[in-house]
Amino acid sequence: YFNSLEYSKQPRTRLAYARDLKTFFEFLIAEFPQYSNYQISDFTLHDIESVTGQDISDYLRYMKVYDKDGTTVTNDERAAKRKLCSLRRFYGYYYRYELISNNPSLKVDMPKIHDKAITRLDVNEVAELLDNVENGNKLTTAQLRTHEKLKCRDLALLTLLLGTGIRVSECVGLDINDVDFDNDRIKVVRKGGSESFVYFGDEVRAALLDYMEERDETEPLEGHENALFLSSQRRRITVRSIELLVKKYASTITGKHITPHKLRSTYGTNLYKETGDIYLVADVLGH
């Protein structure tokens, strides 16, 4: 089954499917006496086919709140939907190739997702955020120790995220030669591996040019020579580092839970307000 996903799903997606399926089989082992002595590798196609739609419904209810290794684990309706999607793909593969004659996952209704208000920054908060990045306003004493060294990079990175709406993974993957100042655009690798050009405005251009002067004087570690954004250890910056960076600066302006994806939402919302063209927004965001 996982071999069949190799060319259609990204590694992180395949890993998420694996975790969901592992949790499902752990549920069967814990809750069904006939599987109490099983390891996950002991399950057969007959066992899989014996699971009923009611069993899967019980699994989704169980997953709302359960204890694992002394820790309480909770899952909301979005997590439940993802777990059912994982099971449907899993069962669908074996059913499609006639290795099982029954697909119980199709008998379970998909959990209803209740819409939540989209968290994003308003125009004044964006301006204040970038001002604080540039000037170090409201940073702690400990944060100020490294601020001067990293502020040019941080300003370029956050201005790029807010000015293009690219994903944090796309930002991390940027190389120096992906930036095209002749046409004011960057080349990004989208989810699924396709390449796309994303255009930027004057403010992003100015911030990137300032950073490029500093980047040209930095000697990266071996293997990280092409990376556009470097960490303080002179390695390609990681997704986690950008998440922490966004959290640090966002906490100086708002109590909202702001993540890199919320910056993407901010860009998409503002673009839609300006153009009224949802198809343009979808195209620019790579949907």
Side-chain angles (χ1 to χ4, degrees):
Y1 165 66
F2 280 101
N3 287 342
S4 74
L5 300 177
E6 182 175 359
Y7 297 108
S8 61
K9 299 296 177 185
Q10 292 296 300
R12 282 196 303 176
T13 303
R14 299 201 300 273
L15 183 58
Y17 287 166
R19 287 171 176 157
D20 288 340
L21 291 173
K22 179 174 182 288
T23 303
F24 176 65
F25 285 118
E26 288 174 344
F27 162 77
L28 294 179
I29 292 171
E31 298 297 318
F32 290 79
Q34 64 267 39
Y35 306 130
S36 59
N37 295 320
Y38 269 42
Q39 301 294 320
I40 292 178
S41 57
D42 295 330
F43 280 91
T44 66
L45 288 175
H46 175 72
D47 293 325
I48 292 170
E49 192 173 20
S50 298
V51 171
T52 67
Q54 185 61 54
D55 294 336
I56 294 176
S57 293
D58 291 342
Y59 162 67
L60 296 181
R61 279 193 294 274
Y62 171 85
M63 293 305 300
K64 289 181 179 179
V65 182
Y66 68 100
D67 291 326
K68 182 174 183 179
D69 300 327
T71 301
T72 300
V73 180
T74 61
N75 288 281
D76 60 12
E77 55 200 12
R78 293 182 184 276
K81 181 175 181 178
R82 192 196 71 231
K83 292 180 185 302
L84 180 54
C85 285
S86 297
L87 284 177
R88 283 190 174 182
R89 285 189 174 275
F90 176 72
Y91 271 98
Y93 170 81
Y94 290 105
Y95 185 75
R96 183 168 64 252
Y97 288 102
E98 299 180 348
L99 297 171
I100 59 176
S101 59
N102 175 45
N103 184 349
S105 67
L106 295 178
K107 299 176 182 178
V108 182
D109 291 334
M110 192 63 69
K112 181 176 176 58
I113 303 298
H114 296 88
D115 291 335
K116 297 180 180 179
I118 298 174
T119 303
R120 52 181 175 264
L121 299 175
D122 61 35
V123 174
N124 291 336
E125 288 173 330
V126 170
E128 186 179 357
L129 174 71
L130 296 178
D131 283 344
N132 290 355
V133 175
E134 192 165 10
N135 301 315
N137 299 336
K138 301 182 181 179
L139 294 180
T140 66
T141 302
Q143 290 170 340
L144 285 171
R145 294 194 190 107
T146 58
H147 174 256
E148 193 64 31
K149 177 183 177 182
L150 298 174
K151 72 174 184 180
C152 188
R153 180 208 68 183
D154 293 352
L155 186 61
L157 195 155
L158 290 174
T159 304
L160 180 65
L161 290 176
L162 284 162
T164 61
I166 61 173
R167 297 178 176 89
V168 64
S169 58
E170 295 165 353
C171 182
V172 165
L174 286 172
D175 289 335
I176 293 175
N177 58 9
D178 289 330
V179 184
D180 177 5
F181 288 110
D182 291 334
N183 296 290
D184 287 346
R185 65 185 186 181
I186 53 173
K187 183 174 70 175
V188 297
V189 178
R190 296 294 196 184
K191 289 175 67 174
S194 63
E195 292 184 349
S196 177
F197 287 107
V198 178
Y199 292 83
F200 52 77
D202 292 340
E203 190 170 3
V204 174
R205 176 186 175 87
L208 284 175
L209 284 172
D210 288 344
Y211 171 66
M212 292 300 282
E213 292 182 12
E214 180 182 282
R215 174 66 179 81
D216 289 341
E217 297 175 0
T218 304
E219 185 66 33
L221 294 183
E222 184 178 354
H224 301 265
E225 296 88 352
N226 296 326
L228 175 60
F229 292 112
L230 297 173
S231 69
S232 56
Q233 290 79 38
R234 296 179 289 122
R235 303 173 183 271
R236 184 183 294 274
I237 199 168
T238 64
V239 169
R240 182 58 178 159
S241 294
I242 295 180
E243 289 172 344
L244 293 174
L245 183 154
V246 170
K247 180 180 179 181
K248 176 178 74 173
Y249 287 114
S251 67
T252 67
I253 62 164
T254 179
K256 300 174 185 175
H257 177 58
I258 300 299
T259 64
H261 190 75
K262 299 300 190 297
L263 301 187
R264 181 169 157 85
S265 298
T266 298
Y267 172 80
T269 300
N270 291 337
L271 181 61
Y272 181 68
K273 285 181 179 178
E274 290 179 13
T275 65
D277 188 339
I278 194 66
Y279 297 105
L280 171 65
V281 175
D283 183 58
V284 171
L285 293 180
H287 286 171

